[in-house]
Amino acid sequence: MKNVYLTKSEKQIMHAFWQADHPLSCTELLSICELRNWKDRSIFSMLNDLLDKGLLQSVGFVRSGKTYARTFEAVVSQAEYLAGIIKTD
């Protein structure tokens, strides 16, 4: 895995995914990271950035009220990510 820069908020999001034992929806992610005051719009932006960086993937849908919400999971483990940071070429 190539070295990918993560912001502080992106690291917190990835930590939640690495600790989870199942794919998370945005609503679940917000409940896990309840100490953060992220707005819905910013969380969607951060999730899309993590998708673009290849660290997350969309894996399905769950019922959320009257609609469905996408679920996501980490593509790389925390160990793989950390190894990519310290690896020198």
Side-chain angles (χ1 to χ4, degrees):
M1 187 191 124
K2 67 178 185 166
N3 190 359
V4 176
Y5 174 77
L6 294 179
T7 66
K8 183 179 176 182
S9 291
E10 288 173 338
K11 286 178 188 174
Q12 291 171 331
I13 290 170
M14 287 306 300
H15 185 72
F17 280 102
W18 288 324
Q19 298 303 311
D21 62 355
H22 63 281
L24 300 175
S25 68
C26 185
T27 304
E28 285 180 293
L29 179 62
L30 288 170
S31 69
I32 291 170
C33 301
E34 63 189 22
L35 298 178
R36 299 296 304 166
N37 292 322
W38 293 319
K39 298 192 178 354
D40 287 348
R41 198 162 197 70
S42 62
I43 192 75
F44 288 125
S45 177
M46 289 186 284
L47 287 173
N48 282 327
D49 288 344
L50 291 167
L51 286 166
D52 291 342
K53 291 177 181 181
L55 295 173
L56 288 182
Q57 66 182 356
S58 178
V59 293
F61 296 90
V62 293
R63 188 99 164 131
S64 179
K66 294 183 180 182
T67 63
Y68 287 90
R70 286 191 302 171
T71 57
F72 304 92
E73 69 181 7
V75 174
V76 297
S77 69
Q78 187 172 15
E80 291 170 321
Y81 171 73
L82 294 173
I85 290 174
I86 60 172
K87 183 179 176 185
T88 57
D89 289 79

